[in-house]
Amino acid sequence: MTSERVPERTDEPHEKHIPVGLSSASVWPQPARAAFEMAADLGFDGVEVMVWADAVSQDVAALHRLADRHGVPILAVHAPCLLITQRVWSPEPEERLRRSVVAASDLGASTVVVHPPFRWQRRYAERFSDLVAELEEASGIRVAVENMFPVRPPNTWKRLRGGKASGLSAFKPSPDPTDVGYNNYTLDLSHAAAAHVDAIELLKRMEDRLAHVHLADGTGAPRDEHLLPGQGTQPCAQVCEALAADGFDGSVVLEINTRKARSPKQRAALLAEALLFARLHLEPAAS
Protein backbone atom coordinates (compact mmCIF):
# COMPACT_ATOMS: atom_id res chain seq x y z
CA MET A 1 0.00 0.00 0.00
CA THR A 2 1.35 3.42 -0.89
CA SER A 3 0.27 6.58 0.88
CA GLU A 4 1.73 9.78 2.19
CA ARG A 5 3.12 9.27 5.65
CA VAL A 6 2.23 11.80 8.31
CA PRO A 7 5.41 13.47 9.63
CA GLU A 8 6.52 12.10 12.98
CA ARG A 9 6.70 14.33 16.01
CA THR A 10 10.05 15.87 16.87
CA ASP A 11 9.49 16.43 20.58
CA GLU A 12 12.24 17.69 22.81
CA PRO A 13 13.02 15.26 25.65
CA HIS A 14 11.07 17.32 28.20
CA GLU A 15 7.85 17.34 26.20
CA LYS A 16 5.14 14.76 26.82
CA HIS A 17 4.29 12.59 23.83
CA ILE A 18 0.70 11.39 23.77
CA PRO A 19 0.49 8.21 21.66
CA VAL A 20 -2.02 8.34 18.80
CA GLY A 21 -3.38 4.93 17.88
CA LEU A 22 -5.62 3.49 15.19
CA SER A 23 -8.67 1.43 16.10
CA SER A 24 -9.07 -1.67 13.98
CA ALA A 25 -12.75 -0.65 13.77
CA SER A 26 -11.61 2.32 11.65
CA VAL A 27 -10.66 0.09 8.72
CA TRP A 28 -13.90 -1.93 8.61
CA PRO A 29 -14.96 -3.72 6.43
CA GLN A 30 -11.28 -4.59 6.02
CA PRO A 31 -9.97 -7.04 8.64
CA ALA A 32 -7.73 -6.34 11.66
CA ARG A 33 -4.67 -7.17 9.56
CA ALA A 34 -5.27 -4.04 7.48
CA ALA A 35 -5.26 -1.87 10.61
CA PHE A 36 -1.69 -2.94 11.41
CA GLU A 37 -0.59 -2.37 7.82
CA MET A 38 -2.12 1.11 7.67
CA ALA A 39 -0.93 2.07 11.15
CA ALA A 40 2.66 1.21 10.17
CA ASP A 41 2.41 2.90 6.78
CA LEU A 42 0.89 6.14 8.09
CA GLY A 43 3.00 6.47 11.23
CA PHE A 44 0.50 5.76 14.01
CA ASP A 45 1.95 5.00 17.44
CA GLY A 46 -0.04 1.79 17.83
CA VAL A 47 -3.31 -0.05 17.35
CA GLU A 48 -6.41 -0.63 19.43
CA VAL A 49 -7.85 -4.05 18.63
CA MET A 50 -11.63 -4.23 18.48
CA VAL A 51 -12.47 -7.84 19.32
CA TRP A 52 -15.37 -8.91 17.12
CA ALA A 53 -16.34 -11.37 14.36
CA ASP A 54 -12.97 -11.10 12.56
CA ALA A 55 -11.18 -14.30 13.64
CA VAL A 56 -7.78 -12.58 13.79
CA SER A 57 -9.10 -10.03 16.31
CA GLN A 58 -9.89 -12.96 18.63
CA ASP A 59 -6.52 -14.71 18.17
CA VAL A 60 -3.81 -13.46 20.54
CA ALA A 61 -1.02 -15.35 18.75
CA ALA A 62 -2.06 -13.91 15.36
CA LEU A 63 -2.18 -10.39 16.83
CA HIS A 64 1.29 -10.88 18.28
CA ARG A 65 2.59 -11.80 14.83
CA LEU A 66 0.97 -8.76 13.22
CA ALA A 67 2.36 -6.39 15.84
CA ASP A 68 5.86 -7.85 15.44
CA ARG A 69 5.75 -7.97 11.64
CA HIS A 70 4.70 -4.33 11.29
CA GLY A 71 6.49 -2.92 14.31
CA VAL A 72 3.26 -1.51 15.69
CA PRO A 73 2.46 -2.02 19.40
CA ILE A 74 -1.02 -2.83 20.65
CA LEU A 75 -2.11 0.02 22.91
CA ALA A 76 -5.52 -1.28 23.93
CA VAL A 77 -7.99 -4.13 23.55
CA HIS A 78 -11.66 -3.27 23.10
CA ALA A 79 -13.70 -5.98 24.82
CA PRO A 80 -16.42 -7.63 22.69
CA CYS A 81 -19.46 -5.87 24.15
CA LEU A 82 -21.36 -4.77 21.03
CA LEU A 83 -24.70 -6.38 20.25
CA ILE A 84 -23.08 -8.16 17.30
CA THR A 85 -20.33 -9.65 19.49
CA GLN A 86 -22.45 -11.23 22.22
CA ARG A 87 -21.18 -14.71 21.30
CA VAL A 88 -17.53 -13.85 20.70
CA TRP A 89 -15.30 -15.86 23.08
CA SER A 90 -18.26 -16.66 25.37
CA PRO A 91 -22.00 -15.96 25.73
CA GLU A 92 -21.21 -14.71 29.26
CA PRO A 93 -20.22 -11.02 29.40
CA GLU A 94 -18.08 -11.51 32.51
CA GLU A 95 -16.02 -14.18 30.74
CA ARG A 96 -15.61 -11.92 27.69
CA LEU A 97 -14.25 -9.13 29.89
CA ARG A 98 -11.93 -11.50 31.74
CA ARG A 99 -10.54 -12.84 28.46
CA SER A 100 -10.04 -9.28 27.19
CA VAL A 101 -7.90 -8.46 30.22
CA VAL A 102 -5.85 -11.63 29.75
CA ALA A 103 -5.40 -10.79 26.05
CA ALA A 104 -4.30 -7.24 26.87
CA SER A 105 -1.75 -8.55 29.36
CA ASP A 106 -0.39 -11.09 26.86
CA LEU A 107 -0.19 -8.45 24.11
CA GLY A 108 1.49 -5.80 26.25
CA ALA A 109 -1.49 -3.44 26.06
CA SER A 110 -2.07 -1.16 29.03
CA THR A 111 -5.83 -0.70 28.61
CA VAL A 112 -9.05 -2.63 28.07
CA VAL A 113 -12.01 -0.60 26.82
CA VAL A 114 -15.40 -1.83 27.99
CA HIS A 115 -18.98 -0.56 27.76
CA PRO A 116 -21.31 -0.33 30.76
CA PRO A 117 -23.52 -3.43 31.08
CA PHE A 118 -26.74 -3.74 29.10
CA ARG A 119 -29.89 -3.65 31.22
CA TRP A 120 -30.78 -7.26 30.42
CA GLN A 121 -27.38 -8.47 31.70
CA ARG A 122 -28.66 -8.41 35.26
CA ARG A 123 -26.11 -10.56 37.07
CA TYR A 124 -23.25 -8.95 35.17
CA ALA A 125 -24.61 -5.46 35.89
CA GLU A 126 -24.95 -6.16 39.61
CA ARG A 127 -21.34 -7.29 39.83
CA PHE A 128 -19.79 -5.03 37.21
CA SER A 129 -18.16 -2.39 39.45
CA ASP A 130 -16.59 -5.02 41.71
CA LEU A 131 -15.49 -7.08 38.71
CA VAL A 132 -13.74 -4.12 37.07
CA ALA A 133 -11.92 -3.25 40.29
CA GLU A 134 -10.95 -6.90 40.86
CA LEU A 135 -9.55 -7.31 37.35
CA GLU A 136 -7.56 -4.09 37.55
CA GLU A 137 -6.02 -5.02 40.88
CA ALA A 138 -5.10 -8.53 39.76
CA SER A 139 -3.70 -7.61 36.35
CA GLY A 140 -2.42 -4.05 36.50
CA ILE A 141 -4.41 -3.38 33.31
CA ARG A 142 -6.61 -0.28 33.15
CA VAL A 143 -10.21 -1.36 32.55
CA ALA A 144 -11.53 1.93 31.17
CA VAL A 145 -15.34 2.17 31.12
CA GLU A 146 -16.62 4.08 28.09
CA ASN A 147 -19.38 6.69 27.93
CA MET A 148 -22.30 5.56 25.78
CA PHE A 149 -25.61 7.15 24.71
CA PRO A 150 -29.36 6.59 25.07
CA VAL A 151 -31.48 5.27 22.24
CA ARG A 152 -33.63 7.95 20.64
CA PRO A 153 -36.24 7.54 17.88
CA PRO A 154 -34.82 8.31 14.41
CA ASN A 155 -35.51 11.86 13.16
CA THR A 156 -36.77 12.87 16.60
CA TRP A 157 -35.04 15.46 18.75
CA LYS A 158 -35.82 15.03 22.40
CA ARG A 159 -35.79 17.90 24.85
CA LEU A 160 -32.61 18.05 26.91
CA ARG A 161 -32.92 17.21 30.58
CA GLY A 162 -30.04 18.27 32.79
CA GLY A 163 -27.77 18.67 29.76
CA LYS A 164 -28.46 15.15 28.47
CA ALA A 165 -30.79 13.90 25.77
CA SER A 166 -33.85 12.09 27.05
CA GLY A 167 -34.51 8.64 25.69
CA LEU A 168 -34.37 4.98 26.61
CA SER A 169 -30.99 3.89 27.95
CA ALA A 170 -29.95 0.35 27.11
CA PHE A 171 -27.28 0.55 29.81
CA LYS A 172 -27.51 -0.06 33.53
CA PRO A 173 -27.50 2.05 35.56
CA SER A 174 -26.53 4.76 33.06
CA PRO A 175 -24.75 5.33 29.73
CA ASP A 176 -22.53 7.84 31.59
CA PRO A 177 -19.94 5.92 33.66
CA THR A 178 -19.25 8.98 35.82
CA ASP A 179 -22.73 8.50 37.30
CA VAL A 180 -21.29 5.38 38.96
CA GLY A 181 -17.61 6.15 39.36
CA TYR A 182 -14.73 3.92 38.21
CA ASN A 183 -10.97 4.07 38.51
CA ASN A 184 -10.54 4.51 34.75
CA TYR A 185 -12.63 5.95 31.93
CA THR A 186 -12.66 6.02 28.14
CA LEU A 187 -13.97 9.27 26.65
CA ASP A 188 -15.69 8.79 23.27
CA LEU A 189 -16.57 12.06 21.55
CA SER A 190 -18.91 10.50 18.99
CA HIS A 191 -20.91 8.94 21.83
CA ALA A 192 -20.99 12.29 23.63
CA ALA A 193 -22.49 13.86 20.50
CA ALA A 194 -25.19 11.17 20.23
CA ALA A 195 -26.01 11.61 23.93
CA HIS A 196 -26.15 15.43 23.64
CA VAL A 197 -23.59 15.59 26.43
CA ASP A 198 -21.15 18.49 26.77
CA ALA A 199 -17.85 16.74 26.05
CA ILE A 200 -15.79 19.34 27.91
CA GLU A 201 -17.91 18.93 31.03
CA LEU A 202 -17.65 15.14 30.71
CA LEU A 203 -13.88 15.47 30.38
CA LYS A 204 -13.82 17.52 33.60
CA ARG A 205 -15.91 14.92 35.43
CA MET A 206 -13.52 12.18 34.37
CA GLU A 207 -10.56 14.32 35.51
CA ASP A 208 -7.43 12.34 36.41
CA ARG A 209 -9.26 9.03 35.95
CA LEU A 210 -9.34 9.48 32.18
CA ALA A 211 -7.21 6.66 30.77
CA HIS A 212 -8.15 6.51 27.09
CA VAL A 213 -9.80 8.66 24.40
CA HIS A 214 -11.69 7.68 21.26
CA LEU A 215 -11.22 10.66 18.97
CA ALA A 216 -14.06 11.06 16.49
CA ASP A 217 -16.73 13.63 15.75
CA GLY A 218 -20.52 13.78 15.61
CA THR A 219 -23.30 16.20 14.78
CA GLY A 220 -25.71 15.29 17.57
CA ALA A 221 -27.77 13.04 15.30
CA PRO A 222 -29.46 10.16 17.18
CA ARG A 223 -26.86 7.61 16.11
CA ASP A 224 -23.19 6.82 16.57
CA GLU A 225 -21.57 8.65 13.63
CA HIS A 226 -17.80 8.44 14.28
CA LEU A 227 -16.99 11.21 11.80
CA LEU A 228 -13.49 12.45 11.14
CA PRO A 229 -12.51 14.99 13.81
CA GLY A 230 -13.39 18.45 12.57
CA GLN A 231 -16.36 17.29 10.47
CA GLY A 232 -18.97 17.56 13.22
CA THR A 233 -19.86 19.79 16.13
CA GLN A 234 -17.78 18.24 18.90
CA PRO A 235 -14.88 20.15 20.52
CA CYS A 236 -12.28 17.68 19.25
CA ALA A 237 -9.52 20.27 19.01
CA GLN A 238 -10.25 21.68 22.48
CA VAL A 239 -10.24 18.22 24.05
CA CYS A 240 -6.88 17.37 22.44
CA GLU A 241 -5.40 20.69 23.54
CA ALA A 242 -6.66 20.13 27.09
CA LEU A 243 -5.05 16.68 27.16
CA ALA A 244 -1.72 18.13 26.05
CA ALA A 245 -1.91 20.93 28.62
CA ASP A 246 -2.79 18.56 31.47
CA GLY A 247 -0.05 16.00 30.82
CA PHE A 248 -2.47 13.20 29.88
CA ASP A 249 -0.70 9.84 30.32
CA GLY A 250 -3.06 7.64 28.31
CA SER A 251 -3.58 7.09 24.58
CA VAL A 252 -5.73 8.85 21.99
CA VAL A 253 -7.18 6.42 19.45
CA LEU A 254 -8.87 7.36 16.20
CA GLU A 255 -12.11 5.39 16.00
CA ILE A 256 -13.69 6.75 12.85
CA ASN A 257 -16.09 5.44 10.24
CA THR A 258 -14.42 4.92 6.85
CA ARG A 259 -16.76 2.29 5.43
CA LYS A 260 -17.77 4.57 2.53
CA ALA A 261 -14.19 4.72 1.27
CA ARG A 262 -14.08 3.23 -2.21
CA SER A 263 -10.58 1.79 -1.94
CA PRO A 264 -7.80 1.15 0.58
CA LYS A 265 -5.99 4.20 -0.82
CA GLN A 266 -9.00 6.44 -0.13
CA ARG A 267 -9.35 4.94 3.36
CA ALA A 268 -5.67 5.62 4.03
CA ALA A 269 -6.13 9.25 2.97
CA LEU A 270 -8.99 9.68 5.46
CA LEU A 271 -6.94 8.12 8.24
CA ALA A 272 -3.93 10.29 7.40
CA GLU A 273 -6.12 13.39 7.61
CA ALA A 274 -7.46 12.35 11.00
CA LEU A 275 -3.97 11.52 12.29
CA LEU A 276 -2.69 14.92 11.22
CA PHE A 277 -5.58 16.60 13.07
CA ALA A 278 -4.76 14.67 16.24
CA ARG A 279 -1.03 15.32 16.09
CA LEU A 280 -1.46 19.04 15.48
CA HIS A 281 -3.85 19.54 18.38
CA LEU A 282 -1.97 17.28 20.80
CA GLU A 283 1.20 19.36 20.44
CA PRO A 284 2.12 21.09 23.72
CA ALA A 285 1.13 24.78 23.65
CA ALA A 286 4.75 25.84 24.03
CA SER A 287 5.49 24.35 20.58
Side-chain angles (χ1 to χ4, degrees):
M1 183 180 65
T2 58
S3 59
E4 185 176 351
R5 184 183 177 91
V6 175
E8 295 181 357
R9 291 174 54 120
T10 56
D11 292 344
E12 295 298 325
H14 67 277
E15 290 182 351
K16 177 74 175 178
H17 172 58
I18 299 175
V20 181
L22 175 64
S23 169
S24 61
S26 296
V27 305
W28 190 86
Q30 290 185 273
R33 171 184 50 78
F36 286 87
E37 294 172 355
M38 289 188 178
D41 192 45
L42 296 172
F44 280 87
D45 295 309
V47 166
E48 175 184 313
V49 175
M50 170 74 79
V51 181
W52 55 6
D54 177 8
V56 170
S57 75
Q58 305 170 31
D59 187 333
V60 171
L63 293 170
H64 256 305
R65 290 193 294 270
L66 285 170
D68 289 345
R69 182 183 309 150
H70 296 286
V72 177
I74 296 173
L75 302 175
V77 172
H78 195 310
C81 38
L82 302 172
L83 286 173
I84 61 171
T85 61
Q86 296 299 289
R87 295 286 174 177
V88 171
W89 279 345
S90 170
E92 294 298 327
E94 178 172 335
E95 179 62 19
R96 293 198 297 273
L97 180 53
R98 287 186 180 277
R99 288 192 61 170
S100 299
V101 171
V102 171
S105 181
D106 290 345
L107 293 166
S110 62
T111 304
V112 166
V113 178
V114 65
H115 297 175
F118 288 119
R119 287 194 170 276
W120 55 84
Q121 296 170 330
R122 294 183 180 178
R123 288 186 299 171
Y124 178 58
E126 289 170 0
R127 178 163 155 63
F128 184 70
S129 293
D130 291 338
L131 175 64
V132 167
E134 169 197 313
L135 291 172
E136 288 185 321
E137 183 176 1
S139 68
I141 301 293
R142 292 172 167 179
V143 181
V145 186
E146 186 172 9
N147 61 297
M148 300 303 292
F149 52 94
V151 176
R152 287 179 285 142
N155 304 317
T156 300
W157 296 93
K158 295 291 186 178
R159 185 174 57 185
L160 297 184
R161 297 177 181 172
K164 299 180 181 180
S166 62
L168 176 64
S169 171
F171 301 97
K172 185 177 180 178
S174 168
D176 182 347
T178 67
D179 288 344
V180 178
Y182 299 96
N183 289 329
N184 292 288
Y185 298 113
T186 295
L187 171 62
D188 188 301
L189 293 169
S190 177
H191 296 174
H196 287 183
V197 169
D198 185 320
I200 297 296
E201 289 302 314
L202 181 55
L203 175 65
K204 291 176 180 177
R205 291 198 298 277
M206 290 179 171
E207 295 182 321
D208 58 353
R209 296 185 180 188
L210 179 64
H212 198 69
V213 174
H214 283 163
L215 183 59
D217 215 331
T219 64
R223 61 184 183 276
D224 193 9
E225 296 174 285
H226 284 283
L227 304 176
L228 267 67
Q231 292 190 351
T233 59
Q234 291 303 286
C236 296
Q238 295 95 312
V239 167
C240 288
E241 289 159 8
L243 296 175
D246 292 343
F248 176 60
D249 67 352
S251 299
V252 172
V253 167
L254 286 160
E255 190 182 68
I256 59 175
N257 182 348
T258 66
R259 67 177 180 269
K260 291 185 179 179
R262 295 173 181 169
S263 66
K265 184 176 181 180
Q266 188 177 65
R267 176 168 289 111
L270 294 173
L271 296 174
E273 178 183 343
L275 175 58
L276 181 60
F277 180 101
R279 287 261 168 82
L280 287 173
H281 291 288
L282 287 169
E283 286 290 336
S287 298

